[in-house]
Amino acid sequence: MNHDILMARVARKVKDKRLLRLIRCYLQAGIMVDGLETVRTEGTPQGSPLSPLLSNIMLDDLDKELERRGPTFCRDADDCNIYVRSQHAVERVMASITGFLERKLRLKVNRKKSAVGRPWKLKMLGYSITWERKPRLRVAEQSVKRLKDKLREQLRRGRGRNMGKVIEGLSTALRGWVQYFKLCEVKTHFEELDQWIRRKLRCILWRQWKRPYTRARKLMNRGLEEARAWQSASNGRGAWWNAGASHMNAAYTKLDFDRMGLVSLLDTILKIHNQSRTAVYGTVCTVV
């Protein structure tokens, strides 16, 4: 972000020269690299509450340009989606808006993250939409992959721990994730992730049991018949296969994991939506 162009836009509304000088000093504050101060010539400091405000001031010209041209668009900070009716139109808009940002605002467009495609194949802030005539919000595939990568790391560390501790460690991440995506209308990803997480936990249990004798005894303790328990314990297959097999699903059901405190993404999102509908209904009744 070019400091001179940014300050020119701030000066359109701010007339106090002392405040303008203070903002300029903030932008040009040095950066400590290996104990040495480096002069900042462009960009804004990361993590400061003032940086998002200055970013929006800088990109206000982009909003006005898009409003003048007429396409539907949505922008959040430096992430912007533009929607038009044809492949030719979107390529033309992509080229012209990139030129506008680079020539007029002197901003660098990240071409690796920029793309042209169908709306349901793109994402914004982790969300995507369905391909139906009346689109619905859903979790983007990339967001699901990032969550799985994060949980894999946590589950890998929990292979030798008590199952209650492992589930407790997952709870914070799962609650925060489902709250972020509470606007989603498509529930498929939530259900599939619940099934994947329970299978990973059953996989940990199977590995912890180690020997066929221990596995058979644990399965019998969970209510399986002796013959079925011994047959399952000595099948010679890997942990992931057994974690998805019927004997482990019968031994550790969804209800069992619920009792252990595992957060169900599907149950949580359904509860959030039910509460939202109840709140709206209550408001309508009060007004009437």
Side-chain angles (χ1 to χ4, degrees), residues 27-43:
L27 290 173
Q28 295 179 339
I31 309 169
M32 294 297 292
V33 179
D34 297 330
L36 299 175
E37 183 179 2
T38 304
V39 178
R40 187 195 302 272
T41 58
E42 59 182 12

Side-chain angles (χ1 to χ4, degrees), residues 117-163:
R118 295 289 190 180
W120 51 86
K121 293 182 179 180
L122 303 177
K123 70 177 183 70
M124 184 172 186
L125 303 177
Y127 282 85
S128 186
I129 61 175
T130 61
W131 56 269
E132 302 151 333
R133 181 176 291 273
K134 186 179 180 181
R136 295 180 296 159
L137 277 177
R138 64 179 180 87
V139 183
E141 297 289 345
Q142 298 93 321
S143 301
V144 174
K145 183 180 181 300
R146 277 199 298 270
L147 177 65
K148 283 186 173 182
D149 291 341
K150 180 179 180 180
L151 295 182
R152 278 193 190 96
E153 184 62 31
Q154 287 185 278
L155 291 167
R156 193 176 293 114
R157 294 196 301 265
R159 287 179 181 176
R161 300 173 62 195
N162 175 272
M163 183 53 62

Side-chain angles (χ1 to χ4, degrees), residues 1 5-6 8-10 12-13 51-69 73 75-78 80 97 100-101 104-105 107:
M1 188 179 294
I5 294 177
L6 173 59
R9 277 148 182 77
V10 174
R12 292 174 182 174
K13 299 291 184 181
S51 294
L53 175 61
L54 293 175
S55 173
N56 278 324
I57 291 173
M58 186 72 165
L59 291 172
D60 186 58
D61 281 11
L62 172 62
D63 294 342
K64 288 183 169 55
E65 178 67 14
L66 289 170
E67 288 172 358
R68 184 184 66 80
R69 297 187 184 195
F73 73 95
R75 183 181 68 81
D76 182 89
D78 60 348
C80 183
I97 291 299
F100 174 84
L101 290 169
K104 186 170 182 180
L105 300 183
L107 295 173

